[in-house]
Amino acid sequence: MRSGTLTLIGRRLLQAAPAVMGIIVVTFVLTRALPGDPAVFFAGPTADAQSIAQIRKSLGLDKSWPEQFWIYLRDLARGDLGKAVSTGQPVLHELATRLPASLELTLLGLLFAAAAAIPLGVLAATRPGSWVDHLCRLLVTAGVSLPTFFTGLFLVYIFYFLLGAAPAPLGRLHIALVEPARVTGFFLIDSLLARDFEVFRSALAQLALPASTLGIFALAPLARMTRAAMLGVLSSDFIRTARAGGLTSWTVLWVYAFRNAMLPVLTTLGMVFSFLLGANVLVEKVFAWPGIGSFALEALVASDYAAVQGFVLAMALMYVALNLVIDVLYTLIDPRVGVEG
Amino acid sequence: MGRHWRHLRYVMGENPITLFAFSLFFGLVLVAIFGPGLAPYDPLASDAANTLKPPSGAHLFGTDDLGRDVFSRVVVSTRLDLAISVAAVSLSFAFGSLAGGCAGYFGGAVDRMVGRFVDTIMAFPLFVLAMGIVSALGNTVENIVYATAIINFPFYARVARAEASARRGAGYIEAARLSGNGHGRILLFHLGPNILPPMMVQISLNMGYAILNAAGLSFIGLGVRPPAAEWGIMVAEGAKFIVSGEWWLAIFPGAALMLAVLCFNLLGDGLRDLFDPRTRT
């Protein structure tokens, strides 16, 4: 790897710093923007003036805003996001145990979307006006208009109630099965590691519908971008040259055009992730999926404040990290990025 | 004006889908205005003798677990759903074009400040940020509107900034300045009308997303409270009956939601063709 690339990656990491700072400031403001007096809220309905004052002191709410912000930063640095009221566990612990469930679902959904959207977009671009192109346009328009929770329920009705092909939309495994020994937290991987194929099959069956729901949602922007990027690249000069040079259409399409067209698609992936992380919450509710989304929903219903803000912070940091990975990948794939720097 | 009308008719004739979207849009607006008058039953009246009845002549979309007429509830919801998203989009449009317009026109420190603000919002997964905002401000319909407005603000600010910055050096802006107009006047009366068309396209493309977002928030139990009729909450209430086969509770409000979003998305594409024929696909 050239040292130039490393410098560039380092610079990208530095560029993420203001975003992280912004996220921390926003979550801090959100925690302090509670309607009414947070101390009264945390003390509960039966509290008297003395216990409210005590809670105010213990929460640090009697201090000035800059001081409170400093304490907030210090707690964050120690990984202290407060305790979840509903379970009594630290929020960080709750998020960490539930994260693999959400990640497994989101990544599988994305994989499904990419596997369907990219070939579809490429085919649509190579045959403009054909039935594939029309199918692509139809799917793209329908995909962005479908509310995720509606798609999920629709799939449940068709595949669980009518066809009986899918298991009941209740969690990650059939109730009779035991979770595989926790290595990665991804049931698909853990069950394979434990050579427990029954668990693997059950986990895959439970994942199929929620992952397709997310996939259908992510398919539209990816297919649209692939088609547009591919159309743009195919009409450029270097493709004409490659064709004129007598290369096979396969080489021209997949080696020359595809790699160039993937760059804008990779950029779109960041936006798609933003939508997916949001849609994840809705899908987890529909399928009773025990991920961080349903944890946040339980917390929302119980007005469990620290838990919701911890969830927002964790999601935002994860999104920044994902964008960073995409940026780094971009730098590695596209040699031109290094030249201008 | 006649030229625009001819262009409109040309685009409509060329693209029946846009015509369909426009008709759907007018249909939605009519239902939103006259909704309560069109509904055959009281959307809140329960009927213990007629619970969970499948769609029939008497109840077009069936009845729910309290015997309420699903069709009436879907029709009446239109006004609330459109009102939430129109209010949110108007707020983002007003503040977004003001902030973005100033950023593009003045440049420098204003530009950097607006840019930083927009970047901070965009650093969050948007729906998650909306959840956080509603939980912090309180669980009411107004806060759903504010949250939706905040997460859509970046889209308007970015378009307005790009358009204003491309035009700040244009001849007519210089001329306006030379003839003694102040910055506010130039922004409002010279730059404003010129950046309006791309902003209109942005509005209709964004409207669908705003509806989806607001319905998503009420689906997870934020904002609109039962027994109020709203598409998102109706789907949420109907969700538990899907596994036992009572599909009409969730599917009809969901389909109405989908139709509304589809309408605005198609309309956005159509408007883009109308204003900017170069990007036509």
Side-chain angles (χ1 to χ4, degrees):
Chain A
M1 196 185 294
R2 291 167 300 136
S3 65
T5 317
L6 276 180
T7 326
L8 217 67
I9 292 174
R11 202 181 303 157
R12 285 268 191 276
L13 280 171
L14 276 182
Q15 278 167 1
V20 171
M21 204 55 218
I23 287 169
I24 292 176
V25 170
V26 169
T27 41
F28 172 75
V29 171
L30 284 180
T31 17
R32 296 299 173 266
L34 264 175
D37 189 343
V40 176
F41 177 85
F42 280 111
T46 57
D48 57 6
Q50 198 188 350
S51 64
I52 288 175
Q54 203 174 0
I55 283 175
R56 179 168 297 137
K57 204 168 163 86
S58 72
L59 288 173
L61 291 171
D62 51 347
K63 299 193 174 69
S64 68
W65 273 51
E67 260 180 292
Q68 288 189 38
F69 185 61
W70 176 245
I71 295 171
Y72 181 73
L73 280 183
R74 214 182 47 201
D75 285 350
L76 276 186
R78 284 192 312 217
D80 181 2
L81 296 174
K83 275 201 167 72
V85 173
S86 46
T87 55
Q89 297 282 337
V91 172
L92 190 70
H93 172 79
E94 288 281 342
L95 289 177
T97 36
R98 284 159 169 267
L99 186 63
S102 300
L103 273 187
E104 188 175 36
L105 175 61
T106 311
L107 290 178
L108 205 69
L110 191 69
L111 201 70
F112 170 74
I118 292 175
L120 187 69
V122 171
L123 279 177
T126 46
R127 295 171 184 75
S130 71
W131 65 269
V132 184
D133 194 17
H134 289 300
L135 179 74
C136 179
R137 193 169 304 166
L138 185 78
L139 277 178
V140 163
T141 317
V144 287
S145 307
L146 278 170
T148 355
F149 48 90
F150 176 68
T151 325
L153 287 171
F154 194 71
L155 291 181
V156 168
Y157 179 67
I158 304 272
F159 290 98
Y160 170 70
F161 181 76
L162 286 186
L163 301 178
L170 296 167
R172 300 176 75 186
L173 271 187
H174 191 273
I175 315 162
L177 293 172
V178 185
E179 288 186 17
R182 192 184 172 99
V183 184
T184 56
F186 286 29
F187 280 6
L188 287 183
I189 297 177
D190 285 356
S191 61
L192 281 185
L193 286 177
R195 306 202 171 278
D196 191 341
F197 297 107
E198 199 189 352
V199 170
F200 179 79
R201 216 171 306 127
S202 171
L204 194 63
Q206 295 283 354
L207 265 169
L209 286 191
S212 327
T213 308
L214 278 180
I216 290 171
F217 182 68
L219 195 147
L222 281 179
R224 182 180 214 151
M225 202 61 219
T226 309
R227 178 178 173 275
M230 215 48 195
L231 274 176
V233 170
L234 282 175
S235 64
S236 60
D237 288 342
F238 73 93
I239 293 295
R240 197 184 50 191
T241 311
R243 282 215 183 97
L247 293 174
T248 60
S249 56
W250 179 265
T251 316
V252 171
L253 190 62
W254 292 106
V255 180
Y256 283 62
F258 182 68
R259 281 176 59 177
N260 281 286
M262 275 306 101
L263 290 171
V265 176
L266 203 59
T267 318
T268 329
L269 213 57
M271 202 63 214
V272 170
F273 251 116
S274 164
F275 290 142
L276 269 183
L277 290 178
N280 200 40
V281 179
L282 300 170
V283 172
E284 282 186 14
K285 180 174 158 82
V286 171
F287 291 92
W289 199 258
I292 55 174
S294 38
F295 169 67
L297 288 186
E298 283 161 27
L300 267 179
V301 173
S303 301
D304 183 353
Y305 216 67
V308 178
Q309 297 312 338
F311 162 76
V312 174
L313 186 70
M315 286 293 239
L317 292 180
M318 205 153 74
Y319 180 49
V320 169
L322 278 167
N323 272 326
L324 209 63
V325 170
I326 289 172
D327 265 357
V328 170
L329 276 181
Y330 202 103
T331 319
L332 292 178
I333 293 176
D334 190 353
R336 283 170 304 183
V337 178
V339 179
E340 39 107 17
Chain B
M1 204 59 225
R3 195 170 58 86
H4 286 290
W5 186 241
R6 267 207 307 283
H7 187 50
L8 181 77
R9 273 209 352 233
Y10 168 73
V11 172
M12 293 292 176
E14 190 86 330
N15 193 347
I17 295 178
T18 309
L19 184 65
F20 167 73
F22 267 99
S23 342
L24 203 58
F25 173 68
F26 284 115
L28 273 176
V29 171
L30 286 181
V31 172
I33 296 173
F34 300 109
L38 295 172
Y41 296 89
D42 178 353
L44 297 179
S46 49
D47 176 1
N50 279 312
T51 58
L52 292 175
K53 286 276 184 300
S56 64
H59 296 281
L60 273 181
F61 291 175
T63 60
D64 68 5
D65 52 325
L66 297 175
R68 296 175 297 195
D69 182 46
V70 176
F71 178 71
S72 304
R73 286 173 69 74
V74 168
V75 165
V76 171
S77 304
T78 315
R79 184 187 287 177
L80 181 58
D81 273 274
L82 286 191
I84 292 176
S85 30
V86 166
V89 164
S90 320
L91 279 177
S92 346
F93 169 74
F95 287 99
S97 38
L98 189 69
C102 286
Y105 177 70
F106 293 114
V110 183
D111 192 12
R112 277 197 297 278
M113 245 167 56
V114 173
R116 188 52 37 94
F117 185 64
V118 165
D119 285 346
T120 305
I121 296 179
M122 295 301 281
F124 285 88
L126 294 177
F127 186 74
V128 172
L129 179 63
M131 281 171 64
I133 293 173
V134 176
S135 83
L137 294 181
N139 192 353
T140 63
V141 176
E142 294 96 83
N143 290 335
I144 294 274
V145 172
Y146 295 140
T148 309
I150 291 173
I151 65 167
N152 285 320
F153 169 86
F155 300 108
Y156 295 90
R158 281 187 174 170
V159 173
R161 185 198 167 274
E163 297 292 332
S165 121
R167 286 176 174 79
R168 62 191 280 198
Y172 64 87
I173 300 291
E174 304 249 308
R177 199 176 295 140
L178 277 176
S179 50
N181 291 290
H183 288 312
R185 214 182 145 74
I186 292 177
L187 266 171
L188 210 58
F189 296 110
H190 298 266
L191 216 45
N194 280 291
I195 66 172
L196 208 55
M199 294 300 279
M200 291 308 286
V201 175
Q202 189 61 35
I203 285 184
S204 64
L205 285 175
N206 192 228
M207 193 68 183
Y209 179 64
I211 298 179
L212 270 186
N213 188 77
L217 286 174
S218 56
F219 177 76
I220 60 174
L222 291 176
V224 187
R225 307 278 179 109
E230 192 273 343
W231 293 330
I233 209 166
M234 286 177 73
V235 177
E237 285 173 343
K240 49 183 175 290
F241 297 97
I242 280 274
V243 283
S244 49
E246 281 95 8
W247 54 273
W248 54 91
L249 268 67
I251 298 296
F252 283 120
L257 182 58
M258 192 195 76
L259 212 60
V261 178
L262 182 72
C263 162
F264 283 107
N265 285 340
L266 292 176
L267 209 59
D269 289 342
L271 278 182
R272 192 171 44 198
D273 291 353
L274 202 65
F275 288 127
D276 189 4
R278 281 166 307 163
T279 59
R280 207 174 291 176
T281 45

